[in-house]
Amino acid sequence: MMTVRRMTTQEEALMSSSLTRREFLARAGMAVAGIQTLEHLDPCCAFAADARTADKELFELKPVADGIYAAIAAPRYKVNSNAAVIVTNDGVIVVDSHSKPSAAYALYREIQAITRQPIKKIINTHFHWDHWQGNQVYAEANPALEILSSQRTLENMTAPDAGVGGLAYIEKQLASVPKEIEKLKDDIVRTSDAGQKNRLESNLRQTEAYLEELKHIKPPLPNRTVANTVTLNEGGREIQILLLGRGHTDGDIFIHLPKEKVVVTGDALIDWMPFMNDGYPEEWVQTLDALEKFDFTHIIPGHGDVASKAHLAFFRGYLADLVAAVKSAHADGAGLDEMKKEIPDLLAAKYERGMSKYPLGQYRDRVGLNIEMAYRKVIRKS
């Protein structure tokens, strides 16, 4: 169990202004000692239940430009999104708030180590659970917090069947996570490998803790939305909120910092295999074409490490080649099962290594689902 450091005077003052430290953690649904052990698993970010993953900090805060930081989420069984931290002259803007309050609080503490400015704005890039369920921590810290998203993202957050995110998805997790716990317990009993058993037991503890947190989670919705590209002037920084078309979801936004030449992409551009269940494969390629026209040198992706602009072409190439392969196979009379057997090897030489750098989101783990989604969305139009 990790040692929990004492709160700073500033953190204590912040917490006591609205609730006690114990009340704060209770609302987050977790014990103090569990702050850095909670993650959440879902098909959008799934990997083997006994995979080797990081067991230390939730985030590594990396400077990308002057006053711009990438909070890179550690690979964990219970995954978090990355975040971007933008320090301005009169406050901090955080892009994406992770999967749960405990993760948001862990990053909040890291931000306090680099600036005493308040966090005044959260931007949610899209509606998936691992990018916005931590909103409530920042709202507790600042009741005047502005939470910004696209109009379509807000609609998805409140829709009963939008996909893997939104308020309705919290209820779905409350039903599904107990089943996951029982499966982990069963897997622990069945395995005889000591290393695998240790990993499974760690994952079980994380999942049980996450369920307790989930029971108390009440993330506030965005209170400002945009329907088109807009430019914000925030404390001496120009920040462009780009709506370029459908891709990972139908409400994706990109954050472009033109002076610093940085773009924050959410899951519309990541450093591992994409999750396509709520996506639009052919339009996604066109949306990335539009993004490429902007002037930037660094990408803070939704998952994985900071990347150069060259990564955009690689990621877009995978999407384009996947769609082309599915279309070609269909034209030749192949069914979905045959596609799943042939296309992975067809694309592997070009994409497997680059898409398998982390213990999650790897090429072989996700390519079959990507083929199925491309088939359903491009060929069957569903």
Side-chain angles (χ1 to χ4, degrees):
M1 186 65 67
M2 297 186 66
T3 301
V4 179
R5 72 164 175 81
R6 292 183 59 83
M7 298 181 71
T8 65
T9 301
Q10 183 180 8
E11 288 171 332
E12 295 279 11
L14 172 66
M15 306 275 263
S16 63
S17 65
S18 57
L19 64 162
T20 68
R21 182 171 184 267
R22 182 181 298 276
E23 289 169 338
F24 179 92
L25 296 175
R27 292 189 187 186
M30 23 91 45
V32 175
I35 286 175
Q36 297 193 5
T37 64
L38 310 178
E39 301 291 322
H40 182 58
L41 177 71
D42 188 86
C44 83
C45 308
F47 59 105
D50 65 335
R52 296 182 181 277
T53 58
D55 60 0
K56 296 184 180 180
E57 291 79 6
L58 286 176
F59 299 100
E60 180 182 0
L61 204 57
K62 295 185 174 183
V64 178
D66 184 24
I68 310 297
Y69 299 84
I72 303 300
R76 300 290 294 273
Y77 177 66
K78 296 298 185 185
V79 74
N80 280 303
S81 70
N82 290 343
V85 178
I86 303 169
V87 181
T88 78
N89 291 335
D90 59 7
V92 179
I93 299 170
V94 177
V95 181
D96 285 337
S97 65
H98 340 300
S99 63
K100 54 200 164 292
S102 57
Y105 180 64
L107 179 58
Y108 170 78
R109 292 189 304 167
E110 292 198 35
I111 294 171
Q112 293 298 294
I114 62 173
T115 179
R116 294 184 178 274
Q117 293 278 18
I119 297 172
K120 66 174 186 177
K121 188 189 302 289
I122 298 294
I123 301 175
N124 295 142
T125 58
H126 62 292
F127 75 99
H128 283 165
W129 63 276
D130 57 320
H131 291 256
W132 82 286
Q133 286 185 176
N135 280 4
Q136 70 190 76
V137 164
Y138 298 103
E140 290 281 6
N142 178 10
L145 181 77
E146 180 177 275
I147 304 174
L148 183 148
S149 75
S150 70
Q151 177 61 34
R152 189 67 190 123
T153 288
L154 176 59
E155 292 167 1
N156 284 330
M157 287 177 174
T158 54
D161 56 356
V164 293
L167 295 173
Y169 194 68
I170 295 173
E171 296 302 317
K172 292 177 182 178
Q173 291 177 87
L174 285 169
S176 65
V177 172
K179 297 175 183 177
E180 182 183 348
I181 289 172
E182 292 308 309
K183 185 179 186 305
L184 284 166
K185 289 179 178 178
D186 185 59
D187 290 343
I188 290 168
V189 171
R190 290 174 180 273
T191 187
S192 58
D193 180 87
Q196 184 184 39
K197 184 181 289 288
N198 287 338
R199 291 190 291 272
L200 288 168
E201 288 173 345
S202 173
N203 296 342
L204 175 61
R205 290 192 296 271
Q206 294 176 34
T207 308
E208 289 174 332
Y210 177 73
L211 178 60
E212 290 306 308
E213 184 169 4
L214 193 63
K215 293 174 182 177
H216 301 273
I217 195 169
K218 293 182 179 179
L221 295 166
N223 51 29
R224 177 181 178 183
T225 63
V226 294
N228 299 288
T229 293
V230 299
T231 298
L232 308 178
N233 292 295
E234 299 280 350
R237 289 195 190 273
E238 179 183 350
I239 302 173
Q240 297 175 348
I241 308 297
L242 309 177
L243 280 78
L244 303 177
R246 300 194 299 187
H248 179 63
T249 71
D250 59 0
D252 298 334
I253 59 176
F254 301 90
I255 295 82
H256 180 227
L257 300 158
K259 180 181 179 182
E260 295 82 5
K261 297 188 176 183
V262 174
V263 67
V264 189
T265 64
D267 286 356
L269 178 54
I270 60 177
D271 196 25
W272 62 56
M273 290 284 279
F275 173 69
M276 301 174 66
N277 290 37
D278 296 325
Y280 302 81
E282 291 182 293
E283 294 177 58
W284 199 338
V285 173
Q286 298 167 10
T287 297
L288 292 177
D289 284 342
L291 178 65
E292 190 175 41
K293 293 180 171 61
F294 288 84
D295 183 19
F296 60 90
T297 57
H298 291 81
I299 299 165
I300 302 176
H303 298 280
D305 211 342
V306 177
S308 69
K309 189 173 186 177
H311 181 64
L312 186 154
F314 174 79
F315 186 84
R316 180 186 56 201
Y318 169 75
L319 293 171
D321 288 351
L322 174 70
V323 169
V326 169
K327 285 183 173 180
S328 177
H330 176 68
D332 290 341
L336 178 58
D337 289 342
E338 189 175 353
M339 292 179 191
K340 287 184 175 181
K341 291 178 182 179
E342 296 182 355
I343 292 177
D345 290 339
L346 179 67
L347 301 182
K350 189 172 181 180
Y351 297 109
E352 183 168 12
R353 182 177 179 182
M355 292 290 195
S356 303
K357 295 183 289 185
Y358 308 95
L360 61 165
Q362 293 196 353
Y363 179 83
R364 294 288 173 175
D365 292 340
R366 191 168 290 181
V367 66
L369 180 58
N370 281 180
I371 292 166
E372 182 174 348
M373 289 299 106
Y375 176 79
R376 290 183 178 183
K377 294 169 181 288
V378 176
I379 305 300
R380 296 301 182 195
K381 305 292 185 182
S382 60

